[in-house]
């Protein structure tokens, strides 16, 4: 299958500290990659570079065959991002936020697209309410809808379950199932059970480096669990 994401020798330094250190992997179209690792492992920094919000200090990233450093605008048209920041305007309604985002990318029939996605995340009844009136979990659901407005080929999630109650978690799981076909997902997660449930590829990071990468069905569960426990405990260099 064609590559959705190709990461080649990527490094990111902040002063003398290497947040990401020589990471390489190839992810095929339609894959779901979960990135695990302790705090400070470089997971979010790597996701930031995949989303073009940050540029590698060294190395190259290709998204759908496009150089993310040289053609970042083209890459942004092909991706959706859910990060720790909602990227929503609190004084606009949920619908207005999605319509504004959709217009930036020339989404056809943008209002209906916005309403349908808000329905999919269980917030159609609140579509005309200002985002500032929403709970943390509701804001997260609007962020997920926003990330899908431009019908992206690649979707990047940084701890998407953060702030979601059990009902919202089920809504999110159902949405991922509905839109998974022909899309590639990358998710950063601390939740080993949920992350493994969704993934078909796994990347384990520690101290900025890739400790383990591969298809989930090719990795021995006991070995992966052992590596995960070592990494979380700081035992893996």
């Amino acid at each position: 299958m064609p590559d959705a994401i190709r990461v080649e020798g990527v490094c990111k330094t902040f002063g003398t500290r290497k947040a990401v250190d020589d990471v390489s992997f190839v992810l095929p179209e339609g894959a779901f990659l979960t990135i695990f690792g302790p705090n400070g492992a470089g997971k979010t920094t790597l996701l930031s570079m995949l989303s073009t919000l940050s540029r590698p200090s060294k190395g190259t990233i290709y998204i759908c065959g496009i150089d993310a450093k040289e053609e970042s605008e083209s890459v942004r048209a092909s991706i959706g991002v859910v990060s720790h920041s909602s990227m929503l305007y609190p004084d606009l309604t949920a619908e207005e936020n999605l319509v504004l985002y959709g217009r930036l990318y020339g989404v056809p029939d943008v209002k209906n697209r916005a309403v349908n996605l808000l329905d999919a995340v269980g917030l159609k009844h609140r579509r005309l309410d200002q985002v500032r009136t929403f709970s943390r979990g509701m804001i997260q659901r609007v962020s997920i809808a926003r990330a899908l407005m431009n019908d992206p080929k690649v979707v990047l999630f940084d701890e998407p379950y953060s702030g979601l109650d059990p009902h919202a978690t089920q809504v999110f799981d159902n949405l991922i199932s509905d839109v998974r076909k022909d899309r590639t997902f990358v998710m950063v997660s601390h939740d080993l059970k949920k992350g493994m449930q969704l993934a078909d590829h796994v990347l384990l990071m520690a101290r900025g480096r890739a400790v383990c990468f591969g298809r989930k069905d090719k990795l021995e569960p006991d070995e992966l669990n052992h590596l995960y426990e070592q990494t979380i405990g700081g035992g893996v260099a």
Side-chain angles (χ1 to χ4, degrees):
M1 296 180 66
D3 301 339
I5 299 174
R6 178 177 290 271
V7 175
E8 299 178 345
V10 165
C11 300
K12 183 66 177 182
T13 58
F14 298 96
T16 59
R17 184 177 71 88
K18 283 189 176 181
V20 174
D21 187 5
D22 195 25
V23 171
S24 299
F25 64 88
V26 177
L27 196 65
E29 286 184 1
F32 195 119
L33 170 67
T34 302
I35 305 176
F36 298 108
N39 292 334
K43 307 181 302 296
T44 294
T45 302
L46 176 59
L47 203 72
S48 180
M49 290 187 286
L50 292 174
S51 67
T52 76
L53 296 175
S54 177
R55 294 162 67 92
S57 303
K58 182 181 178 183
T60 308
I61 296 173
Y62 296 95
I63 307 291
C64 301
I66 304 170
D67 188 321
K69 185 176 181 180
E70 300 298 327
E71 300 181 69
S72 57
E73 289 190 13
S74 296
V75 167
R76 287 174 195 147
S78 300
I79 63 175
V81 182
V82 177
S83 68
H84 293 297
S85 170
S86 70
M87 303 186 207
L88 301 173
Y89 293 95
D91 290 329
L92 297 182
T93 68
E95 182 179 302
E96 287 170 340
N97 267 284
L98 267 59
V99 168
L100 175 62
Y101 187 82
R103 284 176 177 162
L104 290 174
Y105 290 97
V107 173
D109 200 10
V110 65
K111 186 172 181 177
N112 280 337
R113 174 77 174 162
V115 172
N116 288 338
L117 281 171
L118 288 169
D119 189 26
V121 298
L123 289 173
K124 183 178 179 180
H125 65 294
R126 297 291 304 271
R127 70 187 187 280
L128 301 181
D129 293 342
Q130 289 180 312
V131 167
R132 68 166 58 255
T133 67
F134 290 1
S135 68
R136 174 72 182 94
M138 292 167 67
I139 289 172
Q140 185 76 331
R141 283 191 272 165
V142 179
S143 297
I144 292 165
R146 174 197 49 74
L148 296 172
M149 273 298 294
N150 60 326
D151 196 21
K153 296 178 181 178
V154 175
V155 185
L156 309 172
F157 291 128
D158 196 355
E159 295 287 355
Y161 289 95
S162 175
L164 298 186
D165 59 29
H167 170 68
T169 295
Q170 187 60 55
V171 169
F172 177 73
D173 287 344
N174 292 341
L175 181 61
I176 293 301
S177 178
D178 289 343
V179 303
R180 187 160 179 171
K181 185 179 180 182
D182 299 325
R183 292 184 214 273
T184 305
F185 292 85
V186 178
M187 181 175 76
V188 167
S189 179
H190 282 102
D191 187 334
L192 182 61
K193 182 178 179 180
K194 179 62 72 173
M196 290 298 288
Q197 177 184 325
L198 290 170
D200 50 47
H201 286 69
V202 174
L203 172 62
L204 183 59
M205 295 185 68
R207 302 175 189 173
R209 299 186 67 88
V211 176
C212 174
F213 171 77
R215 287 186 56 91
K216 183 174 70 174
D217 59 6
K218 300 295 183 182
L219 299 172
E220 292 293 335
D222 290 343
E223 179 184 2
L224 183 61
N225 285 332
H226 178 64
L227 278 173
Y228 183 80
E229 290 171 3
Q230 280 191 311
T231 301
I232 293 300
V236 177

